[in-house]
mmCIF file of all heavy atoms in Angstrom:
data_model
loop_
_atom_site.group_PDB
_atom_site.id
_atom_site.type_symbol
_atom_site.label_atom_id
_atom_site.label_comp_id
_atom_site.label_asym_id
_atom_site.label_seq_id
_atom_site.Cartn_x
_atom_site.Cartn_y
_atom_site.Cartn_z
ATOM 1 N N PRO A 57 126.791 242.349 112.980
ATOM 2 C CA PRO A 57 127.466 243.639 112.828
ATOM 3 C C PRO A 57 128.792 243.609 113.581
ATOM 4 O O PRO A 57 128.945 242.902 114.558
ATOM 5 C CB PRO A 57 126.498 244.624 113.474
ATOM 6 C CG PRO A 57 125.198 243.928 113.552
ATOM 7 C CD PRO A 57 125.486 242.467 113.591
ATOM 8 N N ARG A 58 129.727 244.374 113.107
ATOM 9 C CA ARG A 58 131.071 244.338 113.676
ATOM 10 C C ARG A 58 131.100 244.702 115.154
ATOM 11 O O ARG A 58 131.815 244.095 115.928
ATOM 12 C CB ARG A 58 132.005 245.266 112.888
ATOM 13 C CG ARG A 58 132.352 244.682 111.567
ATOM 14 C CD ARG A 58 133.383 245.497 110.878
ATOM 15 N NE ARG A 58 133.638 244.864 109.585
ATOM 16 C CZ ARG A 58 134.531 245.279 108.748
ATOM 17 N NH1 ARG A 58 135.262 246.318 109.054
ATOM 18 N NH2 ARG A 58 134.700 244.663 107.614
ATOM 19 N N HIS A 59 130.343 245.689 115.590
ATOM 20 C CA HIS A 59 130.376 246.076 117.001
ATOM 21 C C HIS A 59 129.803 244.967 117.894
ATOM 22 O O HIS A 59 130.253 244.770 119.003
ATOM 23 C CB HIS A 59 129.661 247.405 117.229
ATOM 24 C CG HIS A 59 128.180 247.359 117.058
ATOM 25 N ND1 HIS A 59 127.594 247.351 115.819
ATOM 26 C CD2 HIS A 59 127.183 247.292 117.972
ATOM 27 C CE1 HIS A 59 126.280 247.286 115.970
ATOM 28 N NE2 HIS A 59 126.002 247.254 117.259
ATOM 29 N N LYS A 60 128.813 244.228 117.396
ATOM 30 C CA LYS A 60 128.279 243.127 118.184
ATOM 31 C C LYS A 60 129.282 241.971 118.250
ATOM 32 O O LYS A 60 129.394 241.295 119.253
ATOM 33 C CB LYS A 60 126.944 242.653 117.613
ATOM 34 C CG LYS A 60 125.812 243.619 117.865
ATOM 35 C CD LYS A 60 124.505 243.057 117.406
ATOM 36 C CE LYS A 60 123.382 244.058 117.682
ATOM 37 N NZ LYS A 60 122.087 243.541 117.227
ATOM 38 N N MET A 61 129.990 241.733 117.164
ATOM 39 C CA MET A 61 130.999 240.679 117.135
ATOM 40 C C MET A 61 132.119 241.024 118.115
ATOM 41 O O MET A 61 132.547 240.174 118.892
ATOM 42 C CB MET A 61 131.581 240.514 115.729
ATOM 43 C CG MET A 61 132.615 239.426 115.632
ATOM 44 S SD MET A 61 131.928 237.800 115.786
ATOM 45 C CE MET A 61 131.373 237.582 114.118
ATOM 46 N N ALA A 62 132.568 242.257 118.123
ATOM 47 C CA ALA A 62 133.626 242.685 119.036
ATOM 48 C C ALA A 62 133.158 242.560 120.486
ATOM 49 O O ALA A 62 133.911 242.129 121.355
ATOM 50 C CB ALA A 62 134.053 244.118 118.738
ATOM 51 N N SER A 63 131.910 242.896 120.716
ATOM 52 C CA SER A 63 131.357 242.794 122.054
ATOM 53 C C SER A 63 131.306 241.330 122.513
ATOM 54 O O SER A 63 131.631 241.022 123.656
ATOM 55 C CB SER A 63 129.956 243.403 122.073
ATOM 56 O OG SER A 63 129.375 243.257 123.337
ATOM 57 N N ALA A 64 130.924 240.431 121.639
ATOM 58 C CA ALA A 64 130.867 239.012 121.978
ATOM 59 C C ALA A 64 132.264 238.468 122.265
ATOM 60 O O ALA A 64 132.455 237.700 123.210
ATOM 61 C CB ALA A 64 130.206 238.224 120.851
ATOM 62 N N ILE A 65 133.227 238.869 121.473
ATOM 63 C CA ILE A 65 134.606 238.431 121.696
ATOM 64 C C ILE A 65 135.118 238.966 123.031
ATOM 65 O O ILE A 65 135.738 238.247 123.801
ATOM 66 C CB ILE A 65 135.524 238.871 120.534
ATOM 67 C CG1 ILE A 65 135.170 238.088 119.276
ATOM 68 C CG2 ILE A 65 136.995 238.679 120.896
ATOM 69 C CD1 ILE A 65 135.853 238.585 118.020
ATOM 70 N N PHE A 66 134.835 240.212 123.316
ATOM 71 C CA PHE A 66 135.252 240.818 124.571
ATOM 72 C C PHE A 66 134.648 240.070 125.766
ATOM 73 O O PHE A 66 135.333 239.765 126.732
ATOM 74 C CB PHE A 66 134.854 242.297 124.619
ATOM 75 C CG PHE A 66 135.182 242.957 125.924
ATOM 76 C CD1 PHE A 66 136.491 243.273 126.239
ATOM 77 C CD2 PHE A 66 134.180 243.241 126.846
ATOM 78 C CE1 PHE A 66 136.805 243.879 127.447
ATOM 79 C CE2 PHE A 66 134.487 243.838 128.049
ATOM 80 C CZ PHE A 66 135.801 244.159 128.353
ATOM 81 N N ARG A 67 133.342 239.749 125.688
ATOM 82 C CA ARG A 67 132.685 239.018 126.775
ATOM 83 C C ARG A 67 133.303 237.629 126.960
ATOM 84 O O ARG A 67 133.507 237.167 128.071
ATOM 85 C CB ARG A 67 131.189 238.912 126.516
ATOM 86 C CG ARG A 67 130.442 240.215 126.786
ATOM 87 C CD ARG A 67 128.948 239.972 126.795
ATOM 88 N NE ARG A 67 128.497 239.314 125.577
ATOM 89 C CZ ARG A 67 127.857 239.899 124.579
ATOM 90 N NH1 ARG A 67 127.554 241.158 124.656
ATOM 91 N NH2 ARG A 67 127.506 239.205 123.512
ATOM 92 N N ALA A 68 133.620 236.968 125.860
ATOM 93 C CA ALA A 68 134.238 235.641 125.937
ATOM 94 C C ALA A 68 135.618 235.722 126.601
ATOM 95 O O ALA A 68 135.957 234.897 127.451
ATOM 96 C CB ALA A 68 134.345 235.024 124.552
ATOM 97 N N LEU A 69 136.411 236.714 126.209
ATOM 98 C CA LEU A 69 137.732 236.890 126.811
ATOM 99 C C LEU A 69 137.624 237.229 128.296
ATOM 100 O O LEU A 69 138.410 236.746 129.112
ATOM 101 C CB LEU A 69 138.523 237.966 126.083
ATOM 102 C CG LEU A 69 139.039 237.585 124.698
ATOM 103 C CD1 LEU A 69 139.661 238.796 124.018
ATOM 104 C CD2 LEU A 69 140.031 236.456 124.791
ATOM 105 N N LEU A 70 136.658 238.041 128.643
ATOM 106 C CA LEU A 70 136.434 238.401 130.037
ATOM 107 C C LEU A 70 136.073 237.166 130.859
ATOM 108 O O LEU A 70 136.588 236.965 131.956
ATOM 109 C CB LEU A 70 135.329 239.457 130.137
ATOM 110 C CG LEU A 70 135.109 240.109 131.475
ATOM 111 C CD1 LEU A 70 136.371 240.826 131.930
ATOM 112 C CD2 LEU A 70 133.969 241.100 131.390
ATOM 113 N N PHE A 71 135.216 236.314 130.306
ATOM 114 C CA PHE A 71 134.825 235.081 130.988
ATOM 115 C C PHE A 71 136.033 234.166 131.192
ATOM 116 O O PHE A 71 136.239 233.628 132.268
ATOM 117 C CB PHE A 71 133.733 234.361 130.183
ATOM 118 C CG PHE A 71 133.360 233.032 130.754
ATOM 119 C CD1 PHE A 71 132.571 232.944 131.892
ATOM 120 C CD2 PHE A 71 133.809 231.858 130.170
ATOM 121 C CE1 PHE A 71 132.235 231.716 132.430
ATOM 122 C CE2 PHE A 71 133.483 230.628 130.696
ATOM 123 C CZ PHE A 71 132.691 230.558 131.829
ATOM 124 N N VAL A 72 136.831 233.980 130.155
ATOM 125 C CA VAL A 72 138.013 233.117 130.242
ATOM 126 C C VAL A 72 138.987 233.663 131.282
ATOM 127 O O VAL A 72 139.539 232.915 132.088
ATOM 128 C CB VAL A 72 138.693 232.959 128.863
ATOM 129 C CG1 VAL A 72 140.052 232.306 128.983
ATOM 130 C CG2 VAL A 72 137.791 232.172 127.927
ATOM 131 N N THR A 73 139.182 234.965 131.299
ATOM 132 C CA THR A 73 140.070 235.592 132.279
ATOM 133 C C THR A 73 139.568 235.351 133.698
ATOM 134 O O THR A 73 140.356 235.040 134.594
ATOM 135 C CB THR A 73 140.189 237.102 132.010
ATOM 136 O OG1 THR A 73 140.664 237.289 130.674
ATOM 137 C CG2 THR A 73 141.123 237.773 132.987
ATOM 138 N N ALA A 74 138.272 235.478 133.912
ATOM 139 C CA ALA A 74 137.700 235.254 135.241
ATOM 140 C C ALA A 74 137.887 233.806 135.676
ATOM 141 O O ALA A 74 138.256 233.531 136.823
ATOM 142 C CB ALA A 74 136.224 235.625 135.249
ATOM 143 N N VAL A 75 137.666 232.868 134.783
ATOM 144 C CA VAL A 75 137.823 231.446 135.116
ATOM 145 C C VAL A 75 139.271 231.142 135.464
ATOM 146 O O VAL A 75 139.556 230.445 136.447
ATOM 147 C CB VAL A 75 137.326 230.551 133.954
ATOM 148 C CG1 VAL A 75 137.735 229.107 134.157
ATOM 149 C CG2 VAL A 75 135.824 230.675 133.803
ATOM 150 N N VAL A 76 140.203 231.657 134.682
ATOM 151 C CA VAL A 76 141.624 231.419 134.944
ATOM 152 C C VAL A 76 142.030 232.051 136.270
ATOM 153 O O VAL A 76 142.758 231.442 137.055
ATOM 154 C CB VAL A 76 142.496 231.937 133.779
ATOM 155 C CG1 VAL A 76 143.961 231.929 134.152
ATOM 156 C CG2 VAL A 76 142.248 231.104 132.534
ATOM 157 N N SER A 77 141.554 233.252 136.560
ATOM 158 C CA SER A 77 141.898 233.927 137.815
ATOM 159 C C SER A 77 141.421 233.129 139.018
ATOM 160 O O SER A 77 142.141 232.994 140.002
ATOM 161 C CB SER A 77 141.275 235.318 137.860
ATOM 162 O OG SER A 77 141.813 236.116 136.847
ATOM 163 N N VAL A 78 140.215 232.613 138.948
ATOM 164 C CA VAL A 78 139.674 231.839 140.062
ATOM 165 C C VAL A 78 140.469 230.556 140.248
ATOM 166 O O VAL A 78 140.787 230.159 141.362
ATOM 167 C CB VAL A 78 138.181 231.533 139.845
ATOM 168 C CG1 VAL A 78 137.675 230.496 140.838
ATOM 169 C CG2 VAL A 78 137.372 232.806 139.956
ATOM 170 N N SER A 79 140.843 229.905 139.149
ATOM 171 C CA SER A 79 141.572 228.652 139.266
ATOM 172 C C SER A 79 143.003 228.851 139.755
ATOM 173 O O SER A 79 143.580 227.956 140.346
ATOM 174 C CB SER A 79 141.568 227.895 137.939
ATOM 175 O OG SER A 79 142.295 228.607 136.962
ATOM 176 N N LEU A 80 143.588 230.018 139.532
ATOM 177 C CA LEU A 80 144.951 230.291 139.956
ATOM 178 C C LEU A 80 145.032 230.936 141.334
ATOM 179 O O LEU A 80 146.111 231.093 141.881
ATOM 180 C CB LEU A 80 145.663 231.190 138.943
ATOM 181 C CG LEU A 80 145.906 230.584 137.562
ATOM 182 C CD1 LEU A 80 146.571 231.604 136.656
ATOM 183 C CD2 LEU A 80 146.745 229.327 137.656
ATOM 184 N N ALA A 81 143.902 231.312 141.903
ATOM 185 C CA ALA A 81 143.895 231.965 143.204
ATOM 186 C C ALA A 81 144.421 231.002 144.264
ATOM 187 O O ALA A 81 144.218 229.802 144.190
ATOM 188 C CB ALA A 81 142.477 232.412 143.559
ATOM 189 N N ALA A 82 145.118 231.572 145.235
ATOM 190 C CA ALA A 82 145.693 230.756 146.300
ATOM 191 C C ALA A 82 144.575 230.129 147.125
ATOM 192 O O ALA A 82 143.570 230.776 147.417
ATOM 193 C CB ALA A 82 146.573 231.612 147.193
ATOM 194 N N PRO A 83 144.751 228.876 147.497
ATOM 195 C CA PRO A 83 143.736 228.234 148.332
ATOM 196 C C PRO A 83 143.709 228.893 149.702
ATOM 197 O O PRO A 83 144.708 229.453 150.146
ATOM 198 C CB PRO A 83 144.210 226.781 148.414
ATOM 199 C CG PRO A 83 145.659 226.821 148.101
ATOM 200 C CD PRO A 83 145.872 228.001 147.209
ATOM 201 N N PRO A 84 142.583 228.828 150.382
ATOM 202 C CA PRO A 84 142.516 229.442 151.705
ATOM 203 C C PRO A 84 143.522 228.784 152.652
ATOM 204 O O PRO A 84 143.785 227.588 152.561
ATOM 205 C CB PRO A 84 141.081 229.182 152.155
ATOM 206 C CG PRO A 84 140.511 228.202 151.215
ATOM 207 C CD PRO A 84 141.361 228.172 149.994
ATOM 208 N N SER A 85 144.069 229.571 153.544
ATOM 209 C CA SER A 85 145.117 229.095 154.441
ATOM 210 C C SER A 85 144.594 228.985 155.868
ATOM 211 O O SER A 85 143.778 229.795 156.305
ATOM 212 C CB SER A 85 146.300 230.060 154.406
ATOM 213 O OG SER A 85 147.274 229.667 155.333
ATOM 214 N N ASP A 86 145.088 227.985 156.594
ATOM 215 C CA ASP A 86 144.780 227.850 158.008
ATOM 216 C C ASP A 86 145.816 228.579 158.870
ATOM 217 O O ASP A 86 145.671 228.638 160.085
ATOM 218 C CB ASP A 86 144.735 226.368 158.393
ATOM 219 C CG ASP A 86 143.572 225.644 157.723
ATOM 220 O OD1 ASP A 86 142.455 226.200 157.724
ATOM 221 O OD2 ASP A 86 143.779 224.542 157.192
ATOM 222 N N VAL A 87 146.852 229.129 158.236
ATOM 223 C CA VAL A 87 147.872 229.896 158.941
ATOM 224 C C VAL A 87 147.379 231.343 159.030
ATOM 225 O O VAL A 87 147.051 231.960 158.023
ATOM 226 C CB VAL A 87 149.235 229.840 158.210
ATOM 227 C CG1 VAL A 87 150.257 230.725 158.907
ATOM 228 C CG2 VAL A 87 149.737 228.409 158.120
ATOM 229 N N VAL A 88 147.343 231.872 160.242
ATOM 230 C CA VAL A 88 146.856 233.239 160.465
ATOM 231 C C VAL A 88 148.029 234.201 160.332
ATOM 232 O O VAL A 88 149.075 234.012 160.961
ATOM 233 C CB VAL A 88 146.216 233.367 161.864
ATOM 234 C CG1 VAL A 88 145.746 234.796 162.116
ATOM 235 C CG2 VAL A 88 145.067 232.384 162.017
ATOM 236 N N VAL A 89 147.849 235.241 159.520
ATOM 237 C CA VAL A 89 148.876 236.270 159.353
ATOM 238 C C VAL A 89 148.717 237.258 160.508
ATOM 239 O O VAL A 89 147.668 237.879 160.676
ATOM 240 C CB VAL A 89 148.738 236.989 157.995
ATOM 241 C CG1 VAL A 89 149.760 238.105 157.873
ATOM 242 C CG2 VAL A 89 148.873 235.995 156.852
ATOM 243 N N LEU A 90 149.773 237.386 161.283
ATOM 244 C CA LEU A 90 149.753 238.270 162.445
ATOM 245 C C LEU A 90 150.643 239.474 162.195
ATOM 246 O O LEU A 90 151.679 239.371 161.537
ATOM 247 C CB LEU A 90 150.235 237.510 163.686
ATOM 248 C CG LEU A 90 149.394 236.297 164.074
ATOM 249 C CD1 LEU A 90 150.119 235.451 165.109
ATOM 250 C CD2 LEU A 90 148.039 236.731 164.596
#
Side-chain angles (χ1 to χ4, degrees):
R58 286 187 181 183
H59 70 282
K60 287 185 180 179
M61 181 70 82
S63 177
I65 291 171
F66 176 74
R67 284 192 306 256
L69 288 173
L70 189 60
F71 175 76
V72 169
T73 303
V75 168
V76 169
S77 296
V78 168
S79 66
L80 294 178
S85 176
D86 294 315
V87 176
V88 178
V89 177
L90 299 168

